[in-house]
Amino acid sequence: MNHLEPRKSFSFSQNDMVDLFIQGGTIINVYSGELLQANIAVRNDKISYVGPLEYGIGKDTRILKLKKKIVAPGYIEPHFHPWDIYNPSSVGEEACKRGTTTVFCDNLIFFMLMGSEGFAKFIDAFSKMPIKFYWTCRATPQTPMARETNLFSAGNLRKVLMNPQVQSLGEITRWPELINGASEMGDLIALTKQLKKRVDGHTAGAKYDKLNRLAMAGVESCHESINGQEVLDRLRLGFYVMLRESSLRPDLRLLLKTVAENQVLTDRLMLTTDGSMPAFYQTHGITDHLIRIALKEGMDPICAYRMVTINPAVYFGLDHRIGGIAPGRDADMVILEDIHNPTPETVISRGRIVSEKGNLVEAFPKVEWEKYFPKASFYKQAWVAEKDLFSIPCSADSIRFPVIELINPAITRIHWVQFTTRNGLLDFDRSRFSLVALISREGAWITVGLLEGFGNGIEGLASSYNTAAQILVIGNNREAMSAAANRVLETKGGIAVFDKGRLCYELPLPIGGIMSERSLTEVAEKEKELKILLTAKGYPFHDPLYTFVFLPNDFLPEVRINYMGIVDIKKNEVLWPRRDLV
Ligand SMILES: [Fe+2]
């Protein structure tokens, strides 16, 4: 540890009186890479002094005497999806307790449901929260939408990107379009760079030659590395790399081994939880969990803390404000009992103590959810999902049909199976396959397919939580599927499971049909309850909510159910079309 020599000539005036004085701590200096014993003065929401003096202490100054405790910059989560059944406020509260004082949030669901003007007001409301909410702007949805070109028009995206709280073009999931020279995407990247903002990639599965082309097209980062080689490839080609530990992909230990073995520079590495599910956050923590893993893996502590502080701050061009402890920076800091325990004792954000011993000093301000997500907007007119919708009509006696086979919670394979038909409907073995349907909230269209590997004991499950923001229905019993879908319609959003003629599980999601108003702890309990139920019915994987998220998307291999129909993603080919109902 290093000490600073007192400079006796330093003087300060009445105007320098500070609000908070942190005395005698050891700072993790992310700029010099030292552990440095120094006092820190805070005036309003800024750090006004770092050094050996007792600077600016007046009668109203609150003094924190630390005696050997560690002071680190507030943590930064660079890639956050604050809509995974929790909402930005409830997950923000949890992040705050755990020392994360800045989050860079995916705007996907908010923009899809509110449009550019509503989203601008929402950004404004969240700019006044106890922690900082920055946003990333998706260039496209992650599933085809009926009104996609209107919503994701160049004009609308320009408005979002120009907002000072928006810091990057969000993860580009349709990167093959970029490689094929899609000019709209190229124009959007050019605009983003003109605005001096970042272009976040989602280069999942891209091999070295494709990464070259994506880097050439302007993509600057990626959080999708699932093995060490992918980390190295991306670093070598100039990408910033976010190493991920999420409920879906707990890969961080493996990725850090490659970092250690290859002794790569860590300046362009960051850590992310990439929108983990609530029970994961409740059990493990948020950014503090990531640092803990890095420390346990033997990483130099200063490097570990830098990956969640100054590195993301530099990436987003905000290191003049966040990511370090120095005069003029925002007063976002955490106080730790020990450098090896990253879960903070005290959290300071915007110059105020916001959390102590894992409890918020004050709850986050109430959000008027109804203002941003009016319940009435779930659909224009009430309608009923009849059981006959959940069938696959076909005129031939026998049909070769593309079954969606789940390989893990997120990845699928196309399994072509020959089926016979009965009374004009595809007939299938209910002990092996389930029906899966995506229905528009308005009852305007439906795509119906078959699912293998989900768990065939489920009679009827419906969820408005998915990234198509429509209603996903799974089951082997058409009455139960219809009952579950109708329950979600009746309550205007949620997850409902029917079994043996009764509602056996329900999670209302009144915020846009995607998010709960309840605390993170409460939704974590509901998530666990759902997992226990689905596991008992044969669901074999660890993250069922992610199965709902990804079944309707348009970018992960190999086959998906969405607005277009049952779609072969790689070939961009509709294998079985949707049915329009109106
Ligand atoms: Fe992500």
Side-chain angles (χ1 to χ4, degrees):
M1 189 203 310
N2 295 343
H3 296 262
L4 293 165
E5 287 302 316
R7 286 146 175 84
K8 294 199 178 72
S9 58
F10 198 99
S11 65
F12 52 88
S13 70
Q14 196 61 27
N15 292 337
D16 296 319
M17 291 303 156
V18 301
D19 302 310
L20 178 66
F21 190 77
I22 304 168
Q23 192 174 43
T26 299
I27 296 172
I28 300 180
N29 192 309
V30 293
Y31 307 112
S32 65
E34 296 166 285
L35 287 175
L36 193 67
Q37 198 170 60
N39 301 325
I40 304 163
V42 173
R43 188 178 165 84
N44 298 323
D45 58 351
K46 298 276 182 207
I47 295 168
S48 56
Y49 171 79
V50 177
L53 295 180
E54 302 217 330
Y55 175 97
I57 298 177
K59 63 177 177 24
D60 297 325
T61 303
R62 180 167 180 182
I63 301 175
L64 292 182
K65 293 191 178 173
L66 294 194
K67 284 188 211 143
K68 294 187 183 161
K69 284 179 186 167
I70 299 287
V71 193
Y75 309 145
I76 300 171
E77 166 52 89
H79 183 85
F80 209 37
H81 298 273
W83 41 259
D84 282 320
I85 72 171
Y86 40 69
N87 67 62
S89 177
S90 61
V91 75
E93 286 189 330
E94 194 64 23
C96 179
K97 288 184 214 169
R98 309 276 194 155
T100 304
T101 53
T102 304
V103 287
F104 289 84
C105 299
D106 176 23
N107 78 335
L108 179 70
I109 291 298
F110 309 100
F111 180 68
M112 274 170 67
L113 296 176
M114 293 174 190
S116 60
E117 279 168 30
F119 180 55
K121 289 182 190 136
F122 191 71
I123 289 181
D124 199 41
F126 271 82
S127 68
K128 298 170 185 85
M129 285 290 177
I131 63 167
K132 292 185 184 75
F133 284 84
Y134 289 107
W135 300 88
T136 68
C137 166
R138 291 281 189 119
T140 64
Q142 60 182 50
T143 186
M145 289 170 68
R147 54 190 181 96
E148 179 177 325
T149 43
N150 292 341
L151 180 62
F152 286 82
S153 67
N156 277 346
L157 294 177
R158 167 181 278 271
K159 277 188 220 157
V160 176
L161 277 168
M162 303 257 306
N163 190 307
Q165 293 297 110
V166 174
Q167 290 300 325
S168 68
L169 192 58
E171 52 184 316
I172 299 176
T173 49
R174 292 187 191 167
W175 57 264
E177 284 181 19
L178 196 53
I179 283 182
N180 296 332
S183 60
E184 298 88 353
M185 196 88 86
D187 292 348
L188 211 51
I189 290 179
L191 170 67
T192 309
K193 299 214 169 189
Q194 223 175 46
L195 294 167
K196 303 219 177 315
K197 297 184 179 183
R198 289 295 188 181
V199 178
D200 300 338
H202 180 288
T203 66
K207 298 282 177 284
Y208 199 75
D209 58 333
K210 288 196 171 142
L211 289 170
N212 262 280
R213 291 161 74 184
L214 288 168
M216 185 65 197
V219 176
E220 296 173 287
S221 69
C222 180
H223 62 281
E224 288 291 332
S225 299
I226 56 170
N227 60 51
Q229 189 57 48
E230 292 189 346
V231 172
L232 293 177
D233 286 349
R234 283 156 181 75
L235 270 181
R236 287 168 180 162
L237 288 170
F239 290 87
Y240 287 82
V241 179
M242 298 175 188
L243 307 178
R244 175 173 57 190
E245 174 80 3
S246 71
S247 55
L248 181 65
R249 297 270 355 167
D251 296 326
L252 185 57
R253 292 165 189 83
L254 177 76
L255 304 182
L256 287 171
K257 279 197 172 60
T258 298
V259 169
E261 279 163 18
N262 291 274
Q263 296 181 357
V264 293
L265 297 178
T266 59
D267 289 29
R268 289 165 79 92
L269 294 178
M270 298 168 250
L271 305 181
T272 182
T273 58
D274 190 14
S276 291
M277 289 304 161
F280 177 93
Y281 285 144
Q282 187 205 30
T283 309
H284 302 294
I286 302 190
T287 311
D288 55 330
H289 175 52
L290 307 177
I291 309 170
R292 188 171 290 110
I293 292 173
L295 296 173
K296 280 194 180 151
E297 287 301 306
M299 180 170 250
D300 166 59
I302 291 178
C303 281
Y305 283 92
R306 290 186 91 233
M307 290 197 296
V308 298
T309 55
I310 193 68
N311 293 4
V314 167
Y315 173 67
F316 286 109
L318 289 168
D319 55 311
H320 59 295
R321 285 195 56 192
I322 57 175
I325 297 173
R329 303 319 194 268
D330 291 359
D332 301 340
M333 291 171 273
V334 294
I335 297 171
L336 312 174
E337 188 70 52
D338 185 295
I339 198 165
H340 292 283
N341 180 6
T343 305
E345 206 177 78
T346 304
V347 182
I348 298 160
S349 180
R350 301 182 190 272
R352 295 173 54 218
I353 295 174
V354 288
S355 174
E356 282 180 300
K357 298 194 171 25
N359 297 307
L360 292 180
V361 172
E362 261 177 54
F364 278 23
K366 281 249 171 304
V367 180
E368 293 174 68
W369 294 115
E370 179 62 22
K371 185 168 138 191
Y372 301 105
F373 295 94
K375 269 210 139 193
S377 68
F378 191 79
Y379 45 61
K380 288 191 193 84
Q381 214 173 353
W383 63 283
V384 171
E386 302 290 352
K387 72 168 185 166
D388 291 349
L389 283 177
F390 304 100
S391 56
I392 302 172
C394 39
S395 48
D397 292 343
S398 139
I399 183 172
R400 198 167 162 261
F401 192 85
V403 173
I404 303 171
E405 185 185 356
L406 270 180
I407 300 298
N408 67 32
I411 303 298
T412 63
R413 295 277 176 266
I414 307 173
H415 185 194
W416 287 98
V417 180
Q418 197 72 35
F419 293 95
T420 55
T421 61
R422 191 193 295 174
N423 303 326
L425 302 178
L426 185 148
D427 193 25
F428 61 94
D429 176 357
R430 272 149 224 278
S431 67
R432 184 168 163 206
F433 304 105
S434 300
L435 281 163
V436 56
L438 189 71
I439 326 180
S440 88
R441 289 184 182 189
E442 303 290 349
W445 53 265
I446 185 169
T447 300
V448 186
L450 288 175
L451 193 58
E452 189 176 7
F454 183 84
N456 298 310
I458 295 145
E459 291 190 5
L461 172 155
S463 172
S464 59
Y465 165 75
N466 57 71
T467 45
Q470 305 295 354
I471 302 170
L472 182 73
V473 191
I474 297 171
N476 62 18
N477 176 311
R478 295 194 297 158
E479 279 85 5
M481 292 174 78
S482 157
N486 287 327
R487 181 65 188 170
V488 168
L489 286 167
E490 194 188 315
T491 54
K492 297 187 175 157
I495 302 172
V497 183
F498 270 76
D499 191 58
K500 298 188 177 52
R502 67 175 191 95
L503 179 67
C504 65
Y505 174 88
E506 182 168 43
L507 171 59
L509 297 172
I511 307 174
I514 304 284
M515 294 165 276
S516 168
E517 287 169 309
R518 301 187 207 171
S519 71
L520 188 105
T521 306
E522 288 172 287
V523 289
E525 290 309 315
K526 288 301 289 182
E527 180 201 347
K528 288 182 203 162
E529 196 188 315
L530 178 67
K531 198 175 156 197
I532 290 168
L533 171 68
L534 296 187
T535 306
K537 298 283 180 189
Y539 178 81
F541 307 115
H542 68 286
D543 210 335
L545 289 173
Y546 258 111
T547 303
F548 303 166
V549 168
F550 285 132
L551 268 175
N553 79 20
D554 63 3
F555 61 96
L556 284 175
E558 185 174 58
V559 57
R560 299 287 148 184
I561 181 167
N562 61 36
Y563 170 64
M564 304 305 293
I566 306 292
V567 181
D568 179 331
I569 296 301
K570 272 203 169 158
K571 293 186 185 151
N572 196 17
E573 195 182 311
V574 176
L575 305 175
W576 187 257
R578 73 167 185 270
R579 291 185 339 243
D580 287 326
L581 303 175
V582 288

